[in-house]
């Protein structure tokens, strides 16, 4: 029994030292966050392009989303899209 416990402890130490399983959950979370941010950015760009806002405002929102992808995209969905629907279309 004692030999089995020593073997399993040693095996765990080797696995932890190699980093095989330690960084995997963190990597999965990071990849999921990157995919979520990319999805938000792409959906914001599509929403901006297809919105009824004027060309000038679309350009401003696209530049803002490009400069600050997460904040610009989030602000588009919270502020810009609502404002684009309520304002008249100008070219």
């Amino acid at each position: 029994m004692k030999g089995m416990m020593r073997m399993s402890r040693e095996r765990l130490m080797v696995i932890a030292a190699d980093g095989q399983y330690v960084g995997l959950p963190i990597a999965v979370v990071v990849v999921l966050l990157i995919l979520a941010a990319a999805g938000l950015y792409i959906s914001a760009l599509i929403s901006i392009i297809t919105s009824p806002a004027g060309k000038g405002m679309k350009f401003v929102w696209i530049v803002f989303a490009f400069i600050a992808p997460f904040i610009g995209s989030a602000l588009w969905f919270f502020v810009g899209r609502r404002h684009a629907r309520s304002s008249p279309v100008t070219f």
Side-chain angles (χ1 to χ4, degrees):
M1 184 76 166
K2 245 184 181 182
M4 287 176 58
M5 287 186 73
R6 176 180 289 169
M7 188 174 196
S8 65
R9 281 186 194 164
E10 290 173 1
R11 173 120 174 97
L12 287 174
M13 292 176 93
V14 167
I15 290 172
D18 287 345
Q20 293 175 358
Y21 299 107
V22 176
L24 185 65
I26 295 170
V28 169
V29 169
V30 168
V31 167
L32 288 175
L33 287 174
I34 290 171
L35 288 174
L40 176 69
Y41 179 69
I42 291 170
S43 63
L45 287 179
I46 292 170
S47 179
I48 292 168
I49 291 169
T50 61
S51 74
K55 290 180 183 178
M57 283 308 294
K58 285 182 184 183
F59 178 75
V60 169
W61 276 107
I62 289 172
V63 168
F64 187 57
F66 182 74
I67 291 172
F70 184 74
I71 295 172
S73 300
L75 282 176
W76 165 254
F77 286 115
F78 289 121
V79 178
R81 190 165 61 163
R82 190 175 333 150
H83 180 68
R85 285 184 192 161
S86 64
S87 65
V89 177
T90 57
F91 294 97

